[in-house]
Structures are given as C-alpha cells and as structure tokens.
Amino acid sequence: MSTADRVLSVLGLFTIEAPEWTVEEAARALGLSNSTAYEYFRSLVEAGLLVASKAGRYSVGPAIIELDRVTRRFDPLTNAASGTLRDLVADLEVEAIGLLCRIYRLKVMCVDQYVRRPPTFAISYERGRPMPLGRGAASKIILANLAPRPLRRFYDGDPAAVAAAGLGDSWDAFKRTVRQIRKPGVLATVGELDAGLMGISAPVFGAGGDVLGSIGLVVSAADFLDHPARLEATMAAVRLAGEDVTGRLQAE
C-alpha cells in the first residue's frame, strides 16, 4: 500500500458511527506507529480534511464540505438525472421520494433526492449514507447489472449474507437470481429496508456501458399493492427514466 493510500485510509475511519478519532486510536486501528499516524493527521489537517475538535480528538474538516459543493454542482450523474428525477416524482399522484444512487465500493450511496412535498414517511436512504448492495430495489438493480468480476467479488465477500438476503445459496443460484432481476430493466421490492415502503428502481449506465447507479422511487406499498395498473405504469416510467439518464450520459 502506497503512502497516499495509507493517508486516505485515515479518512476512511471517520463514519457516522465513529465521527471522532485520536491519533493513537487511528494508529491502533490501522496498524501504524503513533509517529506515522501523527504525520498523516498533520497532512490532513493542513489540507482542511480534518480539524481538531476537542483536546486530542479530530473530526472531518471543512474541505469535505467544499468538495461536496463541487459534487452537487458538477457531478455528471447528478446533472444528467436531476430533471428526470423531478419529473418522475411530479408525475405521480401519490407521495413519493425520488432517489438517485451511485455504486460505491460494492455498496450503494444516495447522491440526490427529490420530493414534491414532505411525505408522511421516512426512508433509510439518506444522501451520503452507504447502503448494502444486496437489499432494496435501488441497490439490487445495480448489483444485477455489475460486470462479472465485481459480481463475483461481491458474492465471494460473504456468501452467507448473499444466501440470507435470498439471492442464492450457491454461486450458480446467485447468478440465476441476478439474471432474473436484470432482465426486466426495472425492479420493485417491498419492505426490504423500511417496513411498509416499496422501492422501484432502474439502472443507469455510463458511456462505457458499465452500471453507474440507479434512479427510482420510494413510495408507500399500500398505494400500489392493490393497484396493479398503477404499479405497472410506474415501473414503466422508472424504466424509461433510467434509459433517459443513460442516454444523456452516453451522449456526453
């Protein structure tokens, strides 16, 4: 691992669950000497990526917020999808949250959301929160469209978790499940992340043909389960939204 990789691994320690670290704690977690960890922290503080928050403790710095602003304004995926995401929500007669998600280290991260008005329900997907790749429509439609190598890496990472998620108790069974998910070009799931809610998502592909993420909706399952025509029409709209964003990205 290069020095740059080791410095970046320090940033990887800072999460919602563990937002503050001392140099000594980071050194133990990463298997570094205290002196080496101190040098890494000093570089990150000078870059504004970390700040001293309390005596001897550090948290994420303002440079992260600056980078986030750049992402919000210039991320190609977000820019290509923003209008489509809003139209998708606006065309529904029921409460909905529009989601744009991106694959991130064999996880999925929400990078944009849109609501016409605040819904009466809350969802697990929050902008910037990594979510599992094997649960929920927004994640599973990305998983189903991964290239063979990352798909195998995902399976080999935790076959027991794959089986527990109902995705197959062997590599061959997993591949069959993935093909079934991928074929329609859109996926609806119920209650996989939040009880009583339905996710409907379609994949988004980049210029090279690799899956970049997904676009879709989170709605109340009760508004759709007893209304098959509404569900069919909404799934068709979500599939077309994915194709529209893919077309914009590939045209660029």
Side-chain angles (χ1 to χ4, degrees):
M1 184 182 293
S2 68
T3 299
D5 289 334
R6 292 191 180 95
V7 173
L8 291 174
S9 70
V10 172
L11 283 179
L13 295 174
F14 291 82
T15 64
I16 294 294
E17 295 76 21
E20 294 184 343
W21 289 78
T22 67
V23 172
E24 294 76 16
E25 289 169 345
R28 287 195 297 271
L30 298 173
L32 303 172
S33 68
N34 286 347
S35 60
T36 298
Y38 176 78
E39 291 298 324
Y40 293 169
F41 269 71
R42 185 173 65 177
S43 295
L44 291 167
V45 168
E46 289 176 353
L49 295 168
L50 293 180
V51 293
S53 57
K54 299 176 183 176
R57 304 194 69 81
Y58 294 82
S59 59
V60 172
I64 300 294
I65 301 172
E66 183 178 12
L67 291 172
D68 180 67
R69 181 170 180 265
V70 173
T71 298
R72 285 177 181 268
R73 293 191 61 184
F74 300 109
D75 174 54
L77 176 59
T78 303
N79 287 342
S82 61
T84 302
L85 188 66
R86 282 152 180 74
D87 290 344
L88 190 60
V89 174
D91 288 342
L92 281 181
E93 298 176 353
V94 298
E95 291 184 323
I97 298 176
L99 289 184
L100 180 68
C101 299
R102 179 189 284 275
I103 186 167
Y104 170 71
R105 295 179 180 173
L106 289 183
K107 293 185 178 181
V108 174
M109 181 175 289
C110 175
V111 294
D112 197 12
Q113 285 190 9
Y114 178 74
V115 295
R116 187 172 50 199
R117 53 183 174 271
T120 57
F121 55 80
I123 62 173
S124 294
Y125 269 99
E126 298 175 1
R127 186 177 183 275
R129 179 185 180 185
M131 298 294 287
L133 193 52
R135 292 175 56 204
S139 295
K140 290 167 78 171
I141 199 66
I142 297 174
L143 174 67
N145 285 279
L146 287 179
R149 186 172 294 178
L151 190 67
R152 183 69 201 233
R153 190 163 70 249
F154 172 80
Y155 177 82
D156 289 343
D158 195 342
V162 171
L167 295 171
D169 56 5
S170 68
W171 169 240
D172 287 338
F174 174 62
K175 288 192 295 182
R176 287 194 297 270
T177 301
V178 163
R179 284 195 296 268
Q180 292 169 357
I181 294 172
R182 181 172 61 236
K183 188 175 180 180
V186 63
L187 177 67
T189 61
V190 177
E192 292 196 3
L193 290 170
D194 298 296
L197 299 185
M198 172 183 285
I200 308 172
S201 292
V204 172
F205 300 91
D210 291 333
V211 65
L212 292 183
S214 65
I215 187 171
L217 300 164
V218 178
V219 295
S220 170
D223 288 333
F224 286 83
L225 291 180
D226 294 329
H227 302 278
R230 176 187 288 168
L231 177 57
E232 182 179 356
T234 303
M235 291 182 69
V238 170
R239 183 175 62 249
L240 288 174
E243 293 171 357
D244 179 65
V245 177
T246 294
R248 291 173 185 272
L249 289 167
Q250 294 184 343
E252 292 175 1

PDB file of all heavy atoms in Angstrom, residues 135-161:
ATOM      1  N   ARG A 135     -29.719  -5.347  -0.764  1.00  0.00           N
ATOM      2  CA  ARG A 135     -31.051  -5.123  -0.187  1.00  0.00           C
ATOM      3  C   ARG A 135     -31.672  -3.859  -0.746  1.00  0.00           C
ATOM      4  O   ARG A 135     -31.030  -2.810  -0.781  1.00  0.00           O
ATOM      5  CB  ARG A 135     -30.965  -5.023   1.343  1.00  0.00           C
ATOM      6  CG  ARG A 135     -30.593  -6.315   2.048  1.00  0.00           C
ATOM      7  CD  ARG A 135     -30.426  -6.083   3.525  1.00  0.00           C
ATOM      8  NE  ARG A 135     -31.617  -5.491   4.134  1.00  0.00           N
ATOM      9  CZ  ARG A 135     -31.591  -4.791   5.260  1.00  0.00           C
ATOM     10  NH1 ARG A 135     -30.446  -4.574   5.887  1.00  0.00           N
ATOM     11  NH2 ARG A 135     -32.712  -4.299   5.762  1.00  0.00           N
ATOM     12  N   GLY A 136     -32.935  -3.954  -1.136  1.00  0.00           N
ATOM     13  CA  GLY A 136     -33.657  -2.805  -1.645  1.00  0.00           C
ATOM     14  C   GLY A 136     -33.513  -2.672  -3.153  1.00  0.00           C
ATOM     15  O   GLY A 136     -32.494  -3.049  -3.742  1.00  0.00           O
ATOM     16  N   ALA A 137     -34.553  -2.126  -3.802  1.00  0.00           N
ATOM     17  CA  ALA A 137     -34.559  -2.027  -5.256  1.00  0.00           C
ATOM     18  C   ALA A 137     -33.412  -1.174  -5.789  1.00  0.00           C
ATOM     19  O   ALA A 137     -32.791  -1.518  -6.801  1.00  0.00           O
ATOM     20  CB  ALA A 137     -35.896  -1.456  -5.717  1.00  0.00           C
ATOM     21  N   ALA A 138     -33.126  -0.036  -5.147  1.00  0.00           N
ATOM     22  CA  ALA A 138     -32.084   0.870  -5.633  1.00  0.00           C
ATOM     23  C   ALA A 138     -30.722   0.186  -5.675  1.00  0.00           C
ATOM     24  O   ALA A 138     -29.902   0.474  -6.551  1.00  0.00           O
ATOM     25  CB  ALA A 138     -32.012   2.115  -4.747  1.00  0.00           C
ATOM     26  N   SER A 139     -30.486  -0.725  -4.722  1.00  0.00           N
ATOM     27  CA  SER A 139     -29.219  -1.432  -4.659  1.00  0.00           C
ATOM     28  C   SER A 139     -29.203  -2.663  -5.553  1.00  0.00           C
ATOM     29  O   SER A 139     -28.255  -2.894  -6.320  1.00  0.00           O
ATOM     30  CB  SER A 139     -28.936  -1.856  -3.212  1.00  0.00           C
ATOM     31  OG  SER A 139     -28.763  -0.746  -2.375  1.00  0.00           O
ATOM     32  N   LYS A 140     -30.259  -3.472  -5.474  1.00  0.00           N
ATOM     33  CA  LYS A 140     -30.258  -4.760  -6.168  1.00  0.00           C
ATOM     34  C   LYS A 140     -30.273  -4.610  -7.685  1.00  0.00           C
ATOM     35  O   LYS A 140     -29.718  -5.453  -8.397  1.00  0.00           O
ATOM     36  CB  LYS A 140     -31.446  -5.602  -5.700  1.00  0.00           C
ATOM     37  CG  LYS A 140     -31.285  -6.085  -4.268  1.00  0.00           C
ATOM     38  CD  LYS A 140     -32.557  -6.648  -3.684  1.00  0.00           C
ATOM     39  CE  LYS A 140     -32.848  -8.038  -4.150  1.00  0.00           C
ATOM     40  NZ  LYS A 140     -33.992  -8.626  -3.389  1.00  0.00           N
ATOM     41  N   ILE A 141     -30.867  -3.534  -8.196  1.00  0.00           N
ATOM     42  CA  ILE A 141     -30.851  -3.352  -9.642  1.00  0.00           C
ATOM     43  C   ILE A 141     -29.447  -2.983 -10.121  1.00  0.00           C
ATOM     44  O   ILE A 141     -29.067  -3.295 -11.258  1.00  0.00           O
ATOM     45  CB  ILE A 141     -31.889  -2.282 -10.085  1.00  0.00           C
ATOM     46  CG1 ILE A 141     -32.208  -2.438 -11.578  1.00  0.00           C
ATOM     47  CG2 ILE A 141     -31.412  -0.872  -9.766  1.00  0.00           C
ATOM     48  CD1 ILE A 141     -32.915  -3.712 -11.944  1.00  0.00           C
ATOM     49  N   ILE A 142     -28.660  -2.331  -9.261  1.00  0.00           N
ATOM     50  CA  ILE A 142     -27.255  -2.081  -9.583  1.00  0.00           C
ATOM     51  C   ILE A 142     -26.475  -3.381  -9.525  1.00  0.00           C
ATOM     52  O   ILE A 142     -25.706  -3.721 -10.438  1.00  0.00           O
ATOM     53  CB  ILE A 142     -26.648  -1.046  -8.620  1.00  0.00           C
ATOM     54  CG1 ILE A 142     -27.348   0.308  -8.755  1.00  0.00           C
ATOM     55  CG2 ILE A 142     -25.140  -0.890  -8.868  1.00  0.00           C
ATOM     56  CD1 ILE A 142     -26.913   1.342  -7.734  1.00  0.00           C
ATOM     57  N   LEU A 143     -26.662  -4.134  -8.453  1.00  0.00           N
ATOM     58  CA  LEU A 143     -25.987  -5.421  -8.295  1.00  0.00           C
ATOM     59  C   LEU A 143     -26.217  -6.311  -9.507  1.00  0.00           C
ATOM     60  O   LEU A 143     -25.288  -6.943 -10.019  1.00  0.00           O
ATOM     61  CB  LEU A 143     -26.508  -6.116  -7.025  1.00  0.00           C
ATOM     62  CG  LEU A 143     -26.026  -7.547  -6.773  1.00  0.00           C
ATOM     63  CD1 LEU A 143     -24.532  -7.549  -6.480  1.00  0.00           C
ATOM     64  CD2 LEU A 143     -26.805  -8.157  -5.606  1.00  0.00           C
ATOM     65  N   ALA A 144     -27.457  -6.378  -9.967  1.00  0.00           N
ATOM     66  CA  ALA A 144     -27.804  -7.272 -11.068  1.00  0.00           C
ATOM     67  C   ALA A 144     -27.126  -6.895 -12.371  1.00  0.00           C
ATOM     68  O   ALA A 144     -27.040  -7.718 -13.287  1.00  0.00           O
ATOM     69  CB  ALA A 144     -29.317  -7.285 -11.259  1.00  0.00           C
ATOM     70  N   ASN A 145     -26.661  -5.657 -12.471  1.00  0.00           N
ATOM     71  CA  ASN A 145     -26.043  -5.198 -13.708  1.00  0.00           C
ATOM     72  C   ASN A 145     -24.528  -5.022 -13.611  1.00  0.00           C
ATOM     73  O   ASN A 145     -23.908  -4.461 -14.527  1.00  0.00           O
ATOM     74  CB  ASN A 145     -26.690  -3.888 -14.149  1.00  0.00           C
ATOM     75  CG  ASN A 145     -28.072  -4.099 -14.736  1.00  0.00           C
ATOM     76  OD1 ASN A 145     -28.217  -4.460 -15.901  1.00  0.00           O
ATOM     77  ND2 ASN A 145     -29.104  -3.915 -13.917  1.00  0.00           N
ATOM     78  N   LEU A 146     -23.929  -5.508 -12.526  1.00  0.00           N
ATOM     79  CA  LEU A 146     -22.482  -5.445 -12.400  1.00  0.00           C
ATOM     80  C   LEU A 146     -21.809  -6.342 -13.431  1.00  0.00           C
ATOM     81  O   LEU A 146     -22.363  -7.372 -13.845  1.00  0.00           O
ATOM     82  CB  LEU A 146     -22.047  -5.878 -11.004  1.00  0.00           C
ATOM     83  CG  LEU A 146     -22.311  -4.921  -9.845  1.00  0.00           C
ATOM     84  CD1 LEU A 146     -21.838  -5.551  -8.541  1.00  0.00           C
ATOM     85  CD2 LEU A 146     -21.629  -3.582 -10.069  1.00  0.00           C
ATOM     86  N   ALA A 147     -20.595  -5.962 -13.813  1.00  0.00           N
ATOM     87  CA  ALA A 147     -19.783  -6.810 -14.681  1.00  0.00           C
ATOM     88  C   ALA A 147     -19.405  -8.091 -13.923  1.00  0.00           C
ATOM     89  O   ALA A 147     -19.442  -8.126 -12.686  1.00  0.00           O
ATOM     90  CB  ALA A 147     -18.532  -6.058 -15.119  1.00  0.00           C
ATOM     91  N   PRO A 148     -19.051  -9.151 -14.624  1.00  0.00           N
ATOM     92  CA  PRO A 148     -18.782 -10.445 -13.970  1.00  0.00           C
ATOM     93  C   PRO A 148     -17.762 -10.393 -12.836  1.00  0.00           C
ATOM     94  O   PRO A 148     -17.966 -11.015 -11.790  1.00  0.00           O
ATOM     95  CB  PRO A 148     -18.287 -11.319 -15.123  1.00  0.00           C
ATOM     96  CG  PRO A 148     -18.964 -10.745 -16.331  1.00  0.00           C
ATOM     97  CD  PRO A 148     -19.001  -9.266 -16.095  1.00  0.00           C
ATOM     98  N   ARG A 149     -16.689  -9.647 -13.011  1.00  0.00           N
ATOM     99  CA  ARG A 149     -15.643  -9.653 -11.982  1.00  0.00           C
ATOM    100  C   ARG A 149     -16.100  -9.032 -10.665  1.00  0.00           C
ATOM    101  O   ARG A 149     -15.968  -9.665  -9.614  1.00  0.00           O
ATOM    102  CB  ARG A 149     -14.384  -8.957 -12.500  1.00  0.00           C
ATOM    103  CG  ARG A 149     -13.205  -9.054 -11.524  1.00  0.00           C
ATOM    104  CD  ARG A 149     -11.936  -8.523 -12.157  1.00  0.00           C
ATOM    105  NE  ARG A 149     -11.513  -9.371 -13.276  1.00  0.00           N
ATOM    106  CZ  ARG A 149     -10.448  -9.114 -14.038  1.00  0.00           C
ATOM    107  NH1 ARG A 149      -9.714  -8.032 -13.812  1.00  0.00           N
ATOM    108  NH2 ARG A 149     -10.133  -9.929 -15.025  1.00  0.00           N
ATOM    109  N   PRO A 150     -16.660  -7.808 -10.660  1.00  0.00           N
ATOM    110  CA  PRO A 150     -17.155  -7.270  -9.376  1.00  0.00           C
ATOM    111  C   PRO A 150     -18.332  -8.059  -8.827  1.00  0.00           C
ATOM    112  O   PRO A 150     -18.510  -8.123  -7.606  1.00  0.00           O
ATOM    113  CB  PRO A 150     -17.545  -5.828  -9.704  1.00  0.00           C
ATOM    114  CG  PRO A 150     -17.682  -5.780 -11.184  1.00  0.00           C
ATOM    115  CD  PRO A 150     -16.729  -6.790 -11.726  1.00  0.00           C
ATOM    116  N   LEU A 151     -19.128  -8.673  -9.702  1.00  0.00           N
ATOM    117  CA  LEU A 151     -20.234  -9.504  -9.222  1.00  0.00           C
ATOM    118  C   LEU A 151     -19.695 -10.702  -8.449  1.00  0.00           C
ATOM    119  O   LEU A 151     -20.204 -11.036  -7.367  1.00  0.00           O
ATOM    120  CB  LEU A 151     -21.085  -9.971 -10.406  1.00  0.00           C
ATOM    121  CG  LEU A 151     -22.411 -10.642 -10.062  1.00  0.00           C
ATOM    122  CD1 LEU A 151     -23.366  -9.631  -9.431  1.00  0.00           C
ATOM    123  CD2 LEU A 151     -23.035 -11.248 -11.321  1.00  0.00           C
ATOM    124  N   ARG A 152     -18.658 -11.327  -8.969  1.00  0.00           N
ATOM    125  CA  ARG A 152     -18.046 -12.463  -8.273  1.00  0.00           C
ATOM    126  C   ARG A 152     -17.391 -12.012  -6.974  1.00  0.00           C
ATOM    127  O   ARG A 152     -17.455 -12.701  -5.953  1.00  0.00           O
ATOM    128  CB  ARG A 152     -17.014 -13.147  -9.171  1.00  0.00           C
ATOM    129  CG  ARG A 152     -16.381 -14.389  -8.536  1.00  0.00           C
ATOM    130  CD  ARG A 152     -17.412 -15.497  -8.425  1.00  0.00           C
ATOM    131  NE  ARG A 152     -17.078 -16.498  -7.457  1.00  0.00           N
ATOM    132  CZ  ARG A 152     -17.050 -17.823  -7.728  1.00  0.00           C
ATOM    133  NH1 ARG A 152     -17.304 -18.257  -8.950  1.00  0.00           N
ATOM    134  NH2 ARG A 152     -16.781 -18.673  -6.776  1.00  0.00           N
ATOM    135  N   ARG A 153     -16.768 -10.831  -7.003  1.00  0.00           N
ATOM    136  CA  ARG A 153     -16.129 -10.313  -5.794  1.00  0.00           C
ATOM    137  C   ARG A 153     -17.165 -10.057  -4.709  1.00  0.00           C
ATOM    138  O   ARG A 153     -16.916 -10.324  -3.527  1.00  0.00           O
ATOM    139  CB  ARG A 153     -15.358  -9.035  -6.119  1.00  0.00           C
ATOM    140  CG  ARG A 153     -14.458  -8.556  -4.977  1.00  0.00           C
ATOM    141  CD  ARG A 153     -13.418  -7.568  -5.453  1.00  0.00           C
ATOM    142  NE  ARG A 153     -13.985  -6.287  -5.834  1.00  0.00           N
ATOM    143  CZ  ARG A 153     -14.041  -5.809  -7.072  1.00  0.00           C
ATOM    144  NH1 ARG A 153     -13.575  -6.529  -8.070  1.00  0.00           N
ATOM    145  NH2 ARG A 153     -14.553  -4.622  -7.316  1.00  0.00           N
ATOM    146  N   PHE A 154     -18.327  -9.551  -5.108  1.00  0.00           N
ATOM    147  CA  PHE A 154     -19.398  -9.333  -4.139  1.00  0.00           C
ATOM    148  C   PHE A 154     -19.843 -10.656  -3.530  1.00  0.00           C
ATOM    149  O   PHE A 154     -19.991 -10.767  -2.310  1.00  0.00           O
ATOM    150  CB  PHE A 154     -20.581  -8.649  -4.811  1.00  0.00           C
ATOM    151  CG  PHE A 154     -21.803  -8.553  -3.940  1.00  0.00           C
ATOM    152  CD1 PHE A 154     -21.905  -7.570  -2.969  1.00  0.00           C
ATOM    153  CD2 PHE A 154     -22.840  -9.466  -4.070  1.00  0.00           C
ATOM    154  CE1 PHE A 154     -23.030  -7.487  -2.155  1.00  0.00           C
ATOM    155  CE2 PHE A 154     -23.966  -9.397  -3.262  1.00  0.00           C
ATOM    156  CZ  PHE A 154     -24.056  -8.407  -2.299  1.00  0.00           C
ATOM    157  N   TYR A 155     -20.043 -11.662  -4.352  1.00  0.00           N
ATOM    158  CA  TYR A 155     -20.500 -12.954  -3.839  1.00  0.00           C
ATOM    159  C   TYR A 155     -19.457 -13.575  -2.916  1.00  0.00           C
ATOM    160  O   TYR A 155     -19.780 -14.034  -1.819  1.00  0.00           O
ATOM    161  CB  TYR A 155     -20.807 -13.910  -4.991  1.00  0.00           C
ATOM    162  CG  TYR A 155     -21.225 -15.279  -4.500  1.00  0.00           C
ATOM    163  CD1 TYR A 155     -22.533 -15.512  -4.099  1.00  0.00           C
ATOM    164  CD2 TYR A 155     -20.305 -16.320  -4.396  1.00  0.00           C
ATOM    165  CE1 TYR A 155     -22.912 -16.751  -3.605  1.00  0.00           C
ATOM    166  CE2 TYR A 155     -20.671 -17.557  -3.905  1.00  0.00           C
ATOM    167  CZ  TYR A 155     -21.984 -17.766  -3.518  1.00  0.00           C
ATOM    168  OH  TYR A 155     -22.360 -18.987  -3.017  1.00  0.00           O
ATOM    169  N   ASP A 156     -18.216 -13.574  -3.342  1.00  0.00           N
ATOM    170  CA  ASP A 156     -17.149 -14.196  -2.543  1.00  0.00           C
ATOM    171  C   ASP A 156     -16.907 -13.447  -1.242  1.00  0.00           C
ATOM    172  O   ASP A 156     -16.373 -14.017  -0.289  1.00  0.00           O
ATOM    173  CB  ASP A 156     -15.844 -14.245  -3.346  1.00  0.00           C
ATOM    174  CG  ASP A 156     -15.900 -15.266  -4.485  1.00  0.00           C
ATOM    175  OD1 ASP A 156     -16.792 -16.146  -4.449  1.00  0.00           O
ATOM    176  OD2 ASP A 156     -15.069 -15.174  -5.406  1.00  0.00           O
ATOM    177  N   GLY A 157     -17.286 -12.186  -1.185  1.00  0.00           N
ATOM    178  CA  GLY A 157     -17.079 -11.409   0.037  1.00  0.00           C
ATOM    179  C   GLY A 157     -17.853 -11.935   1.220  1.00  0.00           C
ATOM    180  O   GLY A 157     -17.378 -11.865   2.352  1.00  0.00           O
ATOM    181  N   ASP A 158     -19.047 -12.473   0.995  1.00  0.00           N
ATOM    182  CA  ASP A 158     -19.857 -13.007   2.095  1.00  0.00           C
ATOM    183  C   ASP A 158     -20.992 -13.866   1.531  1.00  0.00           C
ATOM    184  O   ASP A 158     -22.143 -13.427   1.468  1.00  0.00           O
ATOM    185  CB  ASP A 158     -20.427 -11.873   2.944  1.00  0.00           C
ATOM    186  CG  ASP A 158     -20.956 -12.361   4.292  1.00  0.00           C
ATOM    187  OD1 ASP A 158     -21.194 -13.582   4.426  1.00  0.00           O
ATOM    188  OD2 ASP A 158     -21.143 -11.529   5.202  1.00  0.00           O
ATOM    189  N   PRO A 159     -20.695 -15.100   1.112  1.00  0.00           N
ATOM    190  CA  PRO A 159     -21.738 -15.967   0.552  1.00  0.00           C
ATOM    191  C   PRO A 159     -22.903 -16.199   1.508  1.00  0.00           C
ATOM    192  O   PRO A 159     -24.057 -16.323   1.066  1.00  0.00           O
ATOM    193  CB  PRO A 159     -20.990 -17.274   0.262  1.00  0.00           C
ATOM    194  CG  PRO A 159     -19.564 -16.875   0.108  1.00  0.00           C
ATOM    195  CD  PRO A 159     -19.362 -15.738   1.063  1.00  0.00           C
ATOM    196  N   ALA A 160     -22.629 -16.236   2.812  1.00  0.00           N
ATOM    197  CA  ALA A 160     -23.702 -16.451   3.787  1.00  0.00           C
ATOM    198  C   ALA A 160     -24.679 -15.284   3.779  1.00  0.00           C
ATOM    199  O   ALA A 160     -25.897 -15.480   3.874  1.00  0.00           O
ATOM    200  CB  ALA A 160     -23.123 -16.651   5.184  1.00  0.00           C
ATOM    201  N   ALA A 161     -24.170 -14.063   3.667  1.00  0.00           N
ATOM    202  CA  ALA A 161     -25.041 -12.889   3.619  1.00  0.00           C
ATOM    203  C   ALA A 161     -25.853 -12.871   2.329  1.00  0.00           C
ATOM    204  O   ALA A 161     -27.019 -12.466   2.326  1.00  0.00           O
ATOM    205  CB  ALA A 161     -24.210 -11.615   3.734  1.00  0.00           C
TER     206      ALA A 161
END
